[in-house]
Amino acid sequence: MSERREIVTIDGPSGVGKSTISRRVAAALGYTYLDTGAMYRAVALFLQQSQIDLSDEQAVSSTLAALDLQLLPAVQEDGDVGVVVNGQDVSSAIRTSEMGMLASRVSAIPLVRKRLTEMQQAIGQAGKIVAEGRDTGTVVFPDACWKFFLEADPEERARRRMAQLRAAGQEVDAEELLAMIVKRDRDDQERTLAPLQKAEDAIVIDTTFIDIQEVCRKMLEFVQTKKLS
Ligand code: DC
């Protein structure tokens, strides 16, 4: 491996605590937080609004050519990053479970992955970022200095996602949400291109019984004392 770069990658399934943990680790290190899931969600919304057939490669390609995606810093401290697509603020519109499911579908399209991976690599070019997603340690930044893979029981992840959605004023059925989470993870794991997968050299942390503060403490201790070789 060529020289490793000052990048932290945090991958794992949905509802595992990635966003909150990534934001806090980034803030503690003074690094930029890169929410790659928000990018897939934004593209999903854009393709949906464009009303194209997702299996029509030509249509996806020409629609993507017209995409202008910008990430904005979070409005609130410890809040989600903002996303603007072709001048439209989609920051709240992308944070629904429907958009999570559609993002998962859209993320399996090779053209979408290529476009977003290139964008993410350009953002990370100067290093000093904390990237979270499904493939940040395997595909986007294989040369990151620190890689983590978070896990937690599906029931606990569904509970956390429920609390998040409730806080955002969205009501969802608990069983339906658990079923959606299990399906989304399976689809993300089984796709051929950049599947949800632990990088060989990633450190695994099970967050089922550990609170977020403790997970952040463990990660920061690792980042400040060790580097992957
Ligand atoms: O992390 P999230 O729930 O916002 O991600 C939404 C979907 O986007 C996820 O189910 C799969 C896709 N995704 C991906 O394929 N690769 C990433 N690096 C991040 C997200």
Side-chain angles (χ1 to χ4, degrees), residues 36-38 40-41 100 103-104 107 113 133-135 184 188 191:
T36 62
Y40 284 97
R41 285 169 181 263
S104 172
S107 71
R113 288 219 83 83
R134 305 294 186 284
D135 64 338
R184 181 142 74 96
D188 289 345
R191 66 169 179 241

Side-chain angles (χ1 to χ4, degrees), residues 11-14 133-135 149 185 188-189 191 194-198:
D11 291 308
S14 49
R134 305 294 186 284
D135 64 338
F149 192 85
D185 293 341
D188 289 345
Q189 275 160 352
R191 66 169 179 241
L196 162 63
Q197 204 176 32
K198 178 189 109 53

Side-chain angles (χ1 to χ4, degrees), residues 21 24-25 28 148 205 210-225:
I21 291 166
R24 293 192 188 171
V25 168
F148 297 95
I205 302 178
I210 324 180
D211 71 19
I212 278 180
Q213 256 173 311
E214 180 58 13
V215 178
C216 292
R217 196 196 58 72
K218 274 176 186 262
M219 284 182 164
L220 286 167
E221 186 185 279
F222 187 86
V223 169
Q224 279 150 357
T225 55

Side-chain angles (χ1 to χ4, degrees), residues 10-15 18-19 33 35-41 44 94-96 99-108 113 116-117 120 131-137 140 161 164 181 184-185 187-188 191 193-196:
I10 304 181
D11 291 308
S14 49
K18 289 191 305 293
S19 302
Y33 162 51
D35 179 357
T36 62
M39 299 167 82
Y40 284 97
R41 285 169 181 263
I94 61 169
R95 302 288 173 188
T96 62
M99 224 26 80
M101 293 302 279
L102 192 62
S104 172
R105 221 182 122 199
V106 157
S107 71
R113 288 219 83 83
L116 291 189
T117 301
Q120 291 153 12
E132 71 138 302
R134 305 294 186 284
D135 64 338
T136 63
V140 188
R161 198 27 75 89
Q164 237 175 17
I181 282 185
R184 181 142 74 96
D185 293 341
D187 291 349
D188 289 345
R191 66 169 179 241
L193 207 56
L196 162 63

